[in-house]
Amino acid sequence: MAKEQLEVLTALDAAKTQWYHFTAIVIAGMGFFTDAYDLFCISLVTKLLGRIYYHVDGSSKPGSLPPSVSSAVNGVALFGTLAGQLFFGWLGDKMGRKRVYGMTLMLMVFASFASGLSFGHSPKAVMVTLCFWRFWLGFGIGGDYPLSATIMSEYANKKTRGAFIAAVFAMQGFGILAGGAFAIVVSAAFKSAYPAPIYKADPVGSTVPQADYVWRIVLIFGALPAALTYYWRMKMPETARYTALVAKNAKQAAADMSKVLQVEIEAEQEKIEKLSEDKSLSFGLFSKEFVHRHGLHLLGTTSTWFLLDIAYYSQNLFQKDIFSAVGWIPPAPTMNALEEVFKIARAQTLIALCSTVPGYWFTVLFIDRMGRFAIQLMGFFFMTVFMFALAIPYHHWTLHENRIWFVVMYAFTFFFANFGPNATTFVVPAEIFPARLRSTCHGISAASGKAGAIIGAFGFLYLAQNQDPKKADAGYPAGIGVRNSLIVLGVINFLGMLLTFLVPESKGKSLEEMSGENEEEKEEGTAQV
């Protein structure tokens, strides 16, 4: 049955790029800036937490978080994110994108602030409180994924939609950069104000009492950017696609978009009623019709995001360990606590500046020219190549004279993750599913990614340990070593490349054409080709 496209949706698809597009990118993007800051800043201070709370008298090495505590501190926010993606993704389709959008932001602000104030008289009490608040922080962050992607895709025109959604996601790069830069500033300021000897010279004196403020300040700062954008989020109108296609309110959709686009748009309630009477467009997520139309698409978006995040999060959360392994960060006993934070932050900021941020913005520039499929395939291919190039001659890279080249090649894996599947896995699920299931399906895809992130974060922590039990970190069993871990990640990236073939290309097509909600347009498009 042929269907006419609603005028309000045609107007959105054909709209020229204007001020409201950029406003939406900044408002949604600041959420992602905060998400990345909050998720990754913990890796800057985990070594400091070990020195402060788990010092062992007489030990030749500074205190470090026990394996179970380290896993919890690093991973608990990911569990929260996974739960938040599923819950808020579903809620965004039930209650509307805008109503839920404010909830996630306030949860992030409150939990971010509370995690820095983690209290208790014993190390266990501090860690339990920290993990509790980081779970709820993750829960709020999780909601930001499906809602930001869906809002941006439903606001955008079809010509530059990929770039707009990718630009929202690219704010993550600035969040990671800001986390590292802020940790550098705070640790440098405290290091200057409270000089301390290195651990070898004075194990107790190397961690000044004031160091306890450093990690708290770094975590609390994450509340600021989110709080600043709350007012603007609440002023955004609901997306016309939700109002028209899900809430069935043609008048409100036309009024909202007339104001935003500054053109007169006719309310077409009769067309909406005709669409709502059509049973072929009312199938649910667990129906045979959904499996027939979108089952392989959902398998493609979930599996590729799952595999990508195993590789991406194991690299990102534990890059400080890889830098230590090749000698880019000096051995812990040769530094005091604040110096160690400074050097870890400096290394991560350098990687973010040189590879992570440029990778994101290369995607923004090229996604509507090259298409989603080509960028994702290319990204997975080069991630595979660079992982194997690092892993196979691994001993060569650990030699002192080659270590900088190791870091350069490691940076390239980050570049092609971001100019590749890390961006496209976020963009595509917001484009290919029906409006009434769009936020839910994006949430499911993103949650699958976070399941991969949990495996990456926890698995790599254990896998990358030295094969000699005596050389493994305190409390850890022997692992397969960094070299073999990199080989495993290379294989995972190769599988991601193969599964990319399940994901459809959405470049230049309207959302209704991709989801099958406008069959007339689909038929005409096919005839023209």
Side-chain angles (χ1 to χ4, degrees), residues 476-488:
Y476 287 86
I480 61 171
V482 174
R483 178 180 184 266
N484 291 332
S485 298
L486 289 169
I487 290 173
V488 170

Side-chain angles (χ1 to χ4, degrees), residues 283-354:
F283 55 85
L285 182 65
F286 300 106
S287 64
K288 281 184 182 176
E289 185 65 19
F290 178 86
V291 173
H292 171 68
R293 290 193 186 203
H294 298 291
L296 279 179
H297 298 163
L298 189 59
L299 177 63
T301 58
T302 51
S303 61
T304 50
W305 206 337
F306 173 76
L307 293 168
L308 163 80
D309 272 10
I310 293 177
Y312 189 74
Y313 275 78
S314 60
Q315 284 175 266
N316 229 325
L317 281 169
F318 301 105
Q319 56 179 280
K320 62 184 182 298
D321 299 318
I322 289 175
F323 292 147
S324 299
V326 296
W328 214 44
I329 293 173
T334 64
M335 297 181 281
N336 64 42
L338 295 172
E339 192 180 356
E340 188 173 39
V341 174
F342 178 83
K343 291 200 168 160
I344 290 168
R346 189 179 62 180
Q348 290 194 199
T349 304
L350 199 59
I351 287 288
L353 193 61
C354 298

